[in-house]
Amino acid sequence: MILIRGGTVHDGKGNILEDVDILIDGSHIKDIRHSIEVSNDIEIFDARGKVIFPGFIESLNIWGCKGPGWGDDDLKEASDPITPDMNVVYSFDQDSMLFQRVFEYGVTSAAITPSTSNVLGGYAAVFKTYGKHPYEMLVKENIGMVSSVTTEIKKVYGTRNTCPMTRMGAFALLKQAIIKALDYRNNDNKDYDSKSDALQKLINREVPLFVNCNTKSEMDAVELALKDFPIDIVFTGAFGVNQNTGNIIKNKFSVILGDLTNAMSSVNSKVDFEGIKKLMENGVDIAISSCGDNVSSGKESLLWNAILCYKYGLKSNDVLRMITSIPAKILGVDDRIGSIEIGKDADIIIWTENPIETYTARVEAAFINGENILNSRRVESCW
C-alpha cells in the first residue's frame, strides 16, 4: 500500500478537494478522504502543498507504433482504402512507447489508432504508457473504428489514379462498406467476409466511428452521409467545429480536437474556442488530443494543447476534464481511468503547481497502476 498525504486533489470531474489523502492498494485506489490512518509499514508520499491530478489521457495518437527516429511505420496500410479488419494492437511496440517516456508530462494512457490515410482504417485501442508487456499495458482493444475523409486519403490514392481521388469517392466507398456490412448481418447464408464481419461492432453500436474531419464542411458531409445508418459518430481533428456544425448538439456527437500547436497545419487556426465552450455547456463531450494527419507529437504536446485551450478562455477545470474524464468516456474506459475515484486504477500525477495554469509546474511523481514510475528501477535500466 501507498498513502499520498495531504494534497489538493483535482478529481478530473470538476471537483477540487483540499488537504485530502489517497490510499493506494496494489494497482487501485482504495480510499480518498481526510486524515487516513495507516500503520507504520505503509509507504507515505508527502503531497502537502502539491496538486494532484488524474493521469492524462491522450485521446488519439500513434505513440508506440513508430520507433525512435520515426523510421518504422506500422500504421499506414495503404494497400486498400477500406481496411476495417485491421487492428492496431498488432502494431503496438512496448519499447517504442517506453522510449518516448510520455508519463514525464503526466500522460498515463493513450488511444492508439491506425493512420488517417484510409477511408476505413481499422480498430483503435487504449494502452497505458508504461508496463512490462504490451498486453499488460492494454486497457481495452477495439474501442472504435477509425475513418477519414480528409485530403490525406486523396494524397495516397489520388497519385495512383484510383478511388478515392475526391471527397465524393471517399464517401461513396464509406457508404458502400456500411451497406455491405448491413446486408452481411441480415444474410443467413453468407460466405465469410472479413471486412463486413469487422464492421459488425460498428453497425450494432457496440463501438463508435472515429471520423477524421478537418473542416466544418467535412463534418457536415459526414453527418449527411451517415444520418440514416445505425452508427455513433465521434468527430476527430474537427478544427471546424462550432455551434453551427450540423446537429452536433441535438445528436450529442462527441469531438476529439486535433493538434492545435502544429505550425505546419493550414486548418487548426480556425478553431472556435467560444463555440467549444458553449457546446460543452450544452452537454457535448469534447476532448483534446495532440495528433493529426500523420503527425506524431512529442510527450509535452498534450499539455501544450491543454494550455492553449485555457489561454483561449476555457476554464482550467474544464480543460482538465478534456484530458481526463471526457476522453475516458468517449473511449469507453471510464470504468477504469480518467478520474480519481475509489476503485479506479491508481493512475495519479503529483505536480508542484497546476500545469494548465502555469509553465513552472513540474511532475514530482507519476503513478501508473499504483507504481511511481519516475522512481522505477525498471524504467532506468531499460535506457
Side-chain angles (χ1 to χ4, degrees):
M1 288 189 177
I2 300 173
L3 181 70
I4 301 174
R5 175 76 78 189
T8 298
V9 175
H10 296 245
D11 70 355
K13 289 192 167 182
N15 303 304
I16 302 176
L17 310 172
E18 300 284 352
D19 190 23
V20 164
D21 298 346
I22 302 173
L23 183 62
I24 298 173
D25 186 358
S27 61
H28 292 82
I29 299 171
K30 183 176 183 179
D31 201 0
I32 306 169
R33 56 187 169 89
H34 297 286
S35 304
I36 297 176
E37 296 296 329
V38 294
S39 59
N40 292 332
D41 59 343
I42 299 295
E43 180 183 347
I44 296 178
F45 188 101
D46 188 354
R48 286 173 293 186
K50 305 296 191 297
V51 181
I52 302 174
F53 278 6
F56 298 158
I57 301 172
E58 169 58 83
S59 302
L60 293 173
N61 216 301
I62 57 177
W63 291 328
C65 296
K66 277 184 174 287
W70 320 120
D72 296 327
D73 185 354
D74 280 326
L75 295 158
K76 186 186 292 185
E77 186 59 48
S79 57
D80 184 342
I82 304 295
T83 56
D85 44 349
M86 298 295 105
N87 189 333
V88 80
V89 163
Y90 302 112
S91 289
F92 184 79
D93 180 351
Q94 170 204 8
D95 291 333
S96 176
M97 175 62 85
L98 294 180
F99 179 84
Q100 294 169 81
R101 299 176 66 92
V102 296
F103 50 77
E104 292 180 335
Y105 274 78
V107 183
T108 58
S109 298
I112 308 303
T113 74
S115 74
T116 58
S117 59
N118 281 347
V119 176
L120 284 169
Y123 279 105
V126 177
F127 289 89
K128 296 292 180 78
T129 60
Y130 172 80
K132 294 177 288 185
H133 188 279
Y135 297 106
E136 175 194 90
M137 299 167 73
L138 181 64
V139 178
K140 187 177 182 180
E141 65 177 311
N142 297 332
I143 60 165
M145 176 62 59
V146 174
S147 176
S148 180
V149 295
T150 69
T151 57
E152 189 61 30
I153 55 174
K154 292 188 282 185
K155 290 179 184 176
V156 174
Y157 295 98
T159 57
R160 305 175 192 176
N161 201 31
T162 185
C163 187
M165 297 173 60
T166 63
R167 192 190 299 175
M168 293 183 294
F171 280 103
L173 291 176
L174 178 59
K175 294 180 69 173
Q176 182 183 46
I178 294 171
I179 291 170
K180 188 175 180 181
L182 288 166
D183 290 341
Y184 183 82
R185 180 180 67 181
N186 298 326
N187 184 358
D188 294 331
N189 300 313
K190 55 183 173 285
D191 293 328
Y192 178 71
D193 179 342
S194 63
K195 295 181 180 182
S196 292
D197 190 67
L199 288 171
Q200 295 307 300
K201 286 180 178 292
L202 178 67
I203 61 175
N204 290 330
R205 287 190 144 153
E206 297 173 38
V207 298
L209 183 69
F210 293 101
V211 190
N212 192 50
C213 306
N214 284 333
T215 66
K216 179 181 180 299
S217 64
E218 290 171 348
M219 297 173 71
D220 290 341
V222 167
E223 183 187 349
L224 177 63
L226 301 181
K227 63 182 177 63
D228 295 325
F229 295 117
I231 290 175
D232 295 320
I233 296 172
V234 177
F235 290 115
T236 68
F239 302 113
V241 66
N242 59 48
Q243 298 176 81
N244 301 315
T245 308
N247 295 309
I248 196 165
I249 295 177
K250 175 184 174 182
N251 295 317
K252 296 290 177 68
F253 294 133
S254 299
V255 175
I256 299 176
L257 289 174
D259 188 6
L260 304 173
T261 67
N262 180 10
M264 303 303 292
S265 172
S266 61
V267 291
N268 64 4
S269 61
K270 298 177 174 59
V271 173
D272 177 10
F273 289 98
E274 188 62 31
I276 288 173
K277 186 190 304 182
K278 292 182 179 178
L279 287 171
M280 293 181 69
E281 290 171 355
N282 281 279
V284 177
D285 289 325
I286 301 180
I288 297 170
S289 77
S290 58
C291 205
D293 285 343
N294 287 331
V295 173
S296 179
S297 55
K299 59 187 175 183
E300 68 288 327
S301 295
L302 182 63
L303 182 55
W304 284 353
N305 275 273
I307 292 171
L308 190 61
C309 288
Y310 173 68
K311 287 187 174 295
Y312 275 96
L314 275 71
K315 295 179 181 177
S316 174
N317 245 4
D318 286 338
V319 173
L320 177 60
R321 290 172 53 230
M322 295 170 80
I323 53 176
T324 54
S325 60
I326 291 177
K329 177 183 176 183
I330 293 174
L331 302 172
V333 291
D334 52 339
D335 60 325
R336 287 187 56 183
I337 59 177
S339 59
I340 297 177
E341 295 181 88
I342 294 173
K344 290 197 174 181
D345 293 4
D347 294 351
I348 297 169
I349 308 297
I350 301 176
W351 296 82
T352 56
E353 300 173 85
N354 188 332
I356 295 170
E357 299 178 359
T358 175
Y359 290 110
T360 63
R362 303 187 315 277
V363 172
E364 293 213 336
F367 292 90
I368 298 181
N369 293 330
E371 180 179 357
N372 187 0
I373 305 306
L374 296 187
N375 293 338
S376 172
R377 290 182 180 178
R378 285 208 303 268
V379 172
E380 295 304 325
S381 64
C382 285
W383 312 112

